[in-house]
Structure formats: C-alpha cells, structure tokens
Amino acid sequence: MGNPNLLSYETIVRATSGEPEAVDEVLRHYSKRIRIAAIENGHIDRDTEDSIKSRLVAALFKFRFDEQPYRKTE
Amino acid sequence: MPCTEAYREHIIYTFNGYCKTVIRFAAINAWRDRSRRRQKEISLEYLTEEKFYPLGTTDEYFEAPYEEYPVTVCGQKVILTNGELAAALLSLPEMNREIIFLYFFGDYTQQEIGKMYGRCLSTTGYLIRRTLKLLQRKMEVLSHGESEPFVL
C-alpha cells in the first residue's frame, strides 16, 4: 500500500485522539523536517524547534477525517 | 464512512500533507516573530554606551523647591507653582480670571457669580467653560510653542 515511509493509519487515529505514545511517534517521524525548518544562520534554533513542535501537537487535534477521498483519475 | 483501503490511504497522505503544512507555517511564524522582535529590541549596551542614555534619575524634589509664581486675583494673592499656568492665567482677561477663581476656590455658585457680574446663570456657566478651554489652549501653546488663533 502506497508509500511505506508514511505513518500508518492506526497511528494517525491514535495520535489525533491524543494518545501520548502515538503523538510522540508523529513528532519523531517529523523531527528531521522540524529541525530543518528551525535552522537559522546554519544552526538549529532550540526555541523555534520547540515552538514548531508545540504548534504541531496543537494542530494534531484539529485534523479532520471527514473529508471525502479524492477520486483516482483513470 | 466505510473504512476502505482507499480511504485509509487517502487519510495517510492527507495527514502527511497536513503535518508538513503545519510545520512549514509554524516555521514561517516563528521566523516572523523573531525578526519582529529583533526590530523592536535595542541592546542595553547600545543605549548606555553609544547613546549615553541615563539609566537612572535622581530626585530633585528636595533639592530644588518649587518656584513660586504669585498671581493677584480679586485683591487676593494666590501662589502658584506652575509657571505655565500662572502665565496663562495672567494672559486671560481680568473678568474671566476672577470668575474662575470665585467659582473653583471661592465656593461661590454660578448664580451668585452671575449676580456679581450682572450675568444670568447660563451665561456664567458658559463663561466658565469657555475660560477653561481658553486656559487649556494657552497652556498648550506655552508648552509646545505653537500658536493657534483662538478668540474668547
């Protein structure tokens, strides 16, 4: 199924319902991306990294499942 | 919503894109906040060493006593400590100065003042309001150095 490097559906469901381990896994999964986003003048800014992490956690609970899947184009 | 394979795959990709977007905009926001803070912050060393900005003041209340500005109203000598106020008061016409003095410090009612000067109650109230406004204008001119035409 799809891209094996992405988080599994079960993890997403558990993370969005607020389970700490799953949230941690999401953070770990995106840690590299977060660190790259927090780079400033060639080194990682700790405060920025923390603020991005807290924003991501806050946004997790706003993720909505009720969107319709896109129709695959033939 | 049936939990089909296509739906799960869709959720996985949507969630991935969602997280990426959140991270990107969080980084943009953090960068914006930082640059805004940097614009507003000035280092203390810069202020003290380059600009010689005094970090403390010394109290001058006890060293220099208030300067006194005597003003004579209605035959009484009033001592003011505000030079601008005294100058503005002195520049007012005699009658307006007396009305203000009688009303605010002489414990007279507007009716009594009106009788003394041959005006009715409402005219006296109008005079008092007008005089206060004029006084304020004069003090503004004295403290800011701008001259604005104003006629009583």
Side-chain angles (χ1 to χ4, degrees), chain A residues 52-66:
Chain A
I52 293 175
K53 273 185 181 171
S54 63
R55 264 177 185 270
L56 180 59
V57 172
L60 277 185
F61 303 109
K62 290 179 190 157
F63 183 72
R64 295 174 70 86
F65 284 91
D66 50 10

Side-chain angles (χ1 to χ4, degrees), chain A residues 1-3 6-7 9-10 12 30 33-34 37 40 48 51-52 55-56 59-60 62-63 65 67-70, chain B residues 1 3 5-20 22-23 26-27 29-31 34 38:
Chain A
M1 176 175 85
N3 189 343
L6 297 180
L7 289 165
Y9 178 75
E10 285 73 25
I12 294 169
Y30 289 103
R33 183 174 279 273
I34 292 173
E40 193 208 354
T48 313
S51 82
I52 293 175
R55 264 177 185 270
L56 180 59
L60 277 185
K62 290 179 190 157
F63 183 72
F65 284 91
E67 284 173 76
Q68 294 290 325
Y70 298 113
Chain B
M1 172 74 69
C3 205
E5 196 72 7
Y7 171 70
R8 286 166 167 250
E9 201 178 331
H10 159 71
I11 286 295
I12 288 170
Y13 281 113
T14 312
F15 186 77
N16 186 39
Y18 179 76
C19 287
K20 282 180 180 175
V22 167
I23 292 169
N29 280 352
W31 178 83
R34 220 168 35 232
R38 205 166 292 154

Side-chain angles (χ1 to χ4, degrees), chain B residues 28 72 129:
Chain B
I28 290 172
T72 313
R129 282 198 304 279

